[in-house]
Amino acid sequence: MSKKLKIETEIEECTWDELSEVEQTLIDRAKSISKDAYAPYSKFHVGAALLLNSGEILQSSNQENVSFPVGVCAERLLLGFAGANFPNSPVKKMAIVAQRSGEEEWASVSPCGLCRQTISETEMRFNQSIELLILKPDGHVIKVPGVASILPFKFDDLNG
Ligand code: THU
């Protein structure tokens, strides 16, 4: 007899005022870096900003390529930069925002599968969950406590 396994996940939605000062700063940094995204093909400008345990904040945008698969998402570029330049500093939180060219409103966004797997790797590397803060078009912020909430049943053990 087959057995059904149910995976439950919980994410939280906050208002701007419910965010801490540093969380608001992360969203603001993600918004400003998104303005310089290199996204001539999709015209979808993404900004990501992360907080290291050390208190340092780093940010990146997406960088596309005429050969589409070569383009890199804001989150993956940012985590790669953090891992290379701050190899001893775990990542605490990461804010993600997006905007379409020519639009005032912030767009709905959510990390793609490759980025989720990359977030998972950074969590494993430092043995610390990364809280994601995702801006919604209505100005509210989705708080995801760690990648497991949006990447259930993930691949994280070569020998398991
Ligand atoms: N993109 C990101 O940078 N982050 C996301 O979370 C979603 C998608 C980028 C990839 C591509 O440059 C453009 O947005 C459209 O998919």
Side-chain angles (χ1 to χ4, degrees):
M1 255 270 279
S2 71
K3 202 165 70 171
K4 260 195 189 135
L5 302 174
K6 236 189 197 164
I7 300 175
E8 284 200 348
T9 189
E10 231 173 74
I11 55 177
E12 193 187 345
E13 186 177 313
C14 302
T15 63
W16 181 256
D17 293 338
E18 285 165 343
L19 297 179
S20 67
E21 205 173 306
V22 74
E23 288 169 346
Q24 292 183 349
T25 303
L26 286 173
I27 298 276
D28 286 341
R29 294 273 196 110
K31 281 180 173 175
S32 37
I33 199 83
S34 75
K35 306 287 180 195
D36 292 321
Y38 180 65
Y41 306 106
S42 72
K43 312 224 182 303
F44 194 70
H45 296 236
V46 183
L50 62 73
L51 174 70
L52 296 174
N53 275 16
S54 63
E56 189 125 17
I57 292 177
L58 311 171
Q59 55 275 311
S60 182
S61 60
N62 52 330
Q63 299 292 311
E64 297 186 346
N65 191 286
V66 64
S67 174
F68 293 175
V70 179
V72 190
C73 294
E75 299 93 313
R76 213 150 6 107
L77 201 50
L78 181 56
L79 288 170
F81 180 84
N85 291 281
F86 300 86
N88 300 313
S89 201
V91 178
K92 234 183 192 170
K93 297 170 188 274
M94 180 163 65
I96 305 156
V97 310
Q99 194 173 41
R100 286 188 185 79
S101 273
E103 289 186 10
E104 275 296 306
E105 198 181 53
W106 293 96
S108 291
V109 66
S110 187
C112 76
L114 291 181
C115 287
R116 290 176 195 210
Q117 188 68 29
T118 306
I119 296 165
S120 167
E121 192 66 34
T122 306
E123 288 189 350
M124 287 199 297
R125 176 174 178 174
F126 296 111
N127 196 24
Q128 178 176 294
S129 292
I130 302 174
E131 186 181 62
L132 305 175
L133 306 161
I134 304 173
L135 184 66
K136 289 178 61 206
D138 66 5
H140 289 187
V141 172
I142 301 283
K143 265 192 183 185
V144 179
V147 79
S149 302
I150 55 167
L151 189 60
F153 202 54
K154 65 193 174 76
F155 176 57
D156 57 7
D157 189 353
L158 266 185
N159 305 305

